[in-house]
Amino acid sequence: AQSVTQLGSHVSVSEGALVLLRCNYSSSVPPYLFWYVQYPNQGLQLLLKYTTGATLVKGINGFEAEFKKSETSFHLTKPSAHMSDAAEYFCAVSSYNNNDMRFGAGTRLTVKP
Amino acid sequence: ETGVTQSPTHLIKTRGQQVTLRCSSQSGHNTVSWYQQALGQGPQFIFQYYREEENGRGNFPPRFSGLQFPNYSSELNVNALELDDSALYLCASSYDKVEQYFGPGTRLTVT
C-alpha cells in the first residue's frame, strides 16, 4: 500500500522568504508523486509531478520539487513566497496505473506581508 | 476546451436518503476518479472508471457506487447516507491516468 506524510499542518512564511513544504512517501512500487494546490472553495490544481526521469521537477508558479529515493521524500520549494501562494497544499502518491492516488493530510501555507 | 464540471455545487440531504452527484470530464479524457474530502483532510480515493469499467476502488463501502457513460461523464451514487458522508466530493478526469484534472467539487451536507 502507498501512503504520504506531510510534515507540518501549518507553515507560515514572510513574503519573499523561502517556502519549504515537506512530504515523505511510502510505496512498494516505483512511485508517481504529485503536488496539488487548493484555494478556498475550489478543486485541486496540479503544481507539478514526478513519474520517471529527472529527479528535480519544475512546476507552475515558480515551484519545484526534488524526488529523493534514498530519503523517500518529495519536498516542495519556492525561492520567494508571494501573497498569492497562500493556500492548502497536498502531496500525493500513486503508481504507473494511477488507479489509487493517496493524498497527504495537507499543509496550509500562510504568507505574511 | 471545457474543464471538468460537477453538479450540483451544494447539496443538503437527510440521513438515510440517497444522493447522485455528476461529473463531466474534460474533452478527450476517458478516465474519471472520485474522491471524498472531509473538512480539514486530504482527499480520499473512492473509485476510478476507465472506459466505462471500474478500474480501482478505495476503502469505501458498497453503498458508494458509480457509473461512467459512453461520453465518459460519470455519476457517484451514495445510498443510506450517514452523517459522516458530509464532505466535498471531487471528480478528476484524465486521458493517460497520470495527470488528473479536478473539478470544483460538490459540497454534500447530511443532517
Side-chain angles (χ1 to χ4, degrees):
Chain A
Q2 298 169 304
S3 66
V4 165
T5 301
Q6 291 184 239
L7 301 175
S9 58
H10 291 88
V11 170
S12 180
V13 301
S14 297
E15 192 173 17
L18 171 72
V19 176
L20 171 60
L21 305 183
R22 300 177 186 274
C23 172
N24 287 89
Y25 70 91
S26 172
S27 178
S28 57
V29 297
Y32 285 3
L33 295 159
F34 307 81
W35 275 99
Y36 285 88
V37 62
Q38 186 176 36
Y39 296 98
N41 301 313
Q42 294 188 26
L44 278 69
Q45 180 183 9
L46 180 67
L47 282 175
L48 48 80
K49 66 179 186 290
Y50 168 80
T51 54
T52 59
T55 57
L56 181 62
V57 180
K58 295 186 184 299
I60 62 172
N61 301 337
F63 285 95
E64 63 181 38
E66 185 171 12
F67 169 60
K68 292 187 177 181
K69 184 177 179 180
S70 61
E71 299 177 9
T72 61
S73 69
F74 191 59
H75 302 330
L76 182 70
T77 61
K78 182 174 180 177
S80 177
H82 294 164
M83 297 297 291
S84 60
D85 294 328
E88 188 88 20
Y89 291 79
F90 294 96
C91 181
V93 62
S94 72
S95 60
Y96 73 95
N97 61 3
N98 203 30
N99 64 356
D100 185 7
M101 181 177 280
R102 301 294 179 103
F103 285 81
T107 297
R108 181 169 298 278
L109 176 66
T110 301
V111 182
K112 299 175 293 185
Chain B
E1 185 179 85
T2 305
V4 179
T5 60
Q6 293 185 242
S7 61
T9 305
H10 296 87
L11 199 54
I12 300 174
K13 289 286 189 177
T14 303
R15 190 171 49 183
Q17 286 187 316
Q18 178 266 342
V19 69
T20 297
L21 310 182
R22 295 178 174 82
C23 171
S24 291
S25 305
Q26 186 161 318
S27 178
H29 288 184
N30 55 18
T31 304
V32 173
S33 302
W34 285 92
Y35 297 84
Q36 179 195 67
Q37 186 178 17
L39 199 61
Q41 297 183 25
Q44 301 291 316
F45 176 72
I46 303 175
F47 44 59
Q48 182 184 84
Y49 280 83
Y50 172 65
R51 294 186 177 181
E52 303 178 60
E53 297 286 333
E54 188 175 290
N55 184 48
R57 188 179 182 92
N59 189 27
F60 280 80
R63 59 190 185 83
F64 285 78
S65 63
L67 281 174
Q68 187 180 32
F69 300 100
N71 66 356
Y72 301 132
S73 65
S74 177
E75 286 183 354
L76 165 65
N77 298 289
V78 187
N79 294 322
L81 283 167
E82 300 177 0
L83 296 179
D84 284 349
D85 295 333
S86 295
L88 180 68
Y89 288 85
L90 296 165
C91 162
S93 74
S94 66
Y95 174 73
D96 57 3
K97 301 183 188 178
V98 175
E99 190 156 338
Q100 298 192 39
Y101 293 81
F102 282 79
T106 293
R107 173 75 61 188
L108 173 64
T109 302
V110 182
T111 62

